[in-house]
Amino acid sequence: MTTLTSRQRAILEAFDAAREAQPRLPAISIAERLSISEGELQAARLGRDVWSLPLTPRDLASRMHKLGRVKALTRSRLAVLEQEGVYPRLGGGGPHMGLMLAPGGLDLRLLFSQWHWTCLIRDVLPVGKGDATVRWSLQVFNRHGRALHKCFALDEEPTPAWQALAKAGNVVPPAFTQSMPREERPLPQVPELAAEWAAMSDVHQFFGLLRRHGLERREANELMEGHFTRSLPPRAAEDVLWRAAEQRLPMMLFVASPGCVQIRTGQLVMPERRGDWLNLFGHRFTLHLDVMAITHVWRVFKPNRDGGVTSLEAFDAEGELVLQLYAERQEGRPERPTWRRLLEGCQTQEAVA
């Protein structure tokens, strides 16, 4: 093991003290207390329960279906989506993107260009009086040390795939860079945006539209206000989750980090409010949403061959998308009218209030 720097030693001491006091305290909470990135915290543990994985993003992702039962977790700034299941085999998507298609299961879109450091982590956690269990996890970070995706082994005995990752691991440290705050800029003027938006025949064409004009999603929503988008009050995200659960409306929840989009499809459970957080504790899935930190919500309509689809999009104060909601829909079928009425009701109630 390489000699520790004074900074690494200080991080390890703080980590050990935090885990001694609260054995199940999440690493991200410890990192926030230390004002460092979660990636830097885990990198300080290299050689002591953490190992770098010398695999390309696609190679690593191609092995994930062999990991057995896992809890998969993706976090945006204000939302955390956790699901239990088995990864599907990695599909296509090109050199910079991978697809794990499993509607109703672990359904992910992987942006490999953002994957900077992947590591294997071994945590010892208490269970009952004096007993402990080992929890293995695979975690992916971007160049700023932000966690992009995590998965935790759920099988009592790790599969051979976990053992193979352990053998491949090394203690080569990652090189992280400091993230810079977003720069505010005036809203760009894109006169042709409305016509190009109206011409879409598939919702996936929207990403190309943004790239062509150098737009962020929030900016496009602002430019199309009153045409294809409608600004809703920040509390609309919470209201819609409650109403969708009450109406037993099958939903698609999208939570995205810069390097992974995780999608949960199915009916919702009734939310539970705990402080600023709204929580959905469902069967094999959990959603945590910091509703009080949401600053902008939009109802967004995108044309397609089946009559168009409507989504609710929630953003934080920095303009990052934190949660996206659609009604469950099969390709080739029109969108559920109940979903459109539900979203239209949000605006109507705000106007009446």
Side-chain angles (χ1 to χ4, degrees), residues 339-351:
W339 170 239
R340 290 190 179 180
R341 288 196 297 268
L342 190 158
L343 288 181
E344 289 165 0
C346 291
Q347 187 67 18
T348 302
Q349 287 198 357
E350 177 68 8

Side-chain angles (χ1 to χ4, degrees), residues 46-103:
L46 274 170
R48 200 198 74 168
D49 296 326
V50 174
W51 297 269
S52 295
L53 295 174
L55 303 170
T56 67
R58 180 167 288 278
D59 185 11
L60 180 62
S62 69
R63 302 180 182 208
M64 291 169 70
H65 71 280
K66 300 178 181 179
L67 294 178
R69 291 192 317 115
V70 299
K71 179 173 73 173
L73 182 155
T74 300
R75 181 192 302 269
S76 67
R77 291 190 195 277
L78 305 182
V80 184
L81 178 59
E82 303 173 5
Q83 293 173 275
E84 295 181 9
V86 177
Y87 286 111
R89 287 181 177 272
L90 180 69
H96 304 299
M97 182 176 180
L99 304 177
M100 289 185 174
L101 302 175

Side-chain angles (χ1 to χ4, degrees), residues 43 49 61 88 120 126 199 260 343 352:
D49 296 326
L120 184 68
C260 177
L343 288 181
V352 170

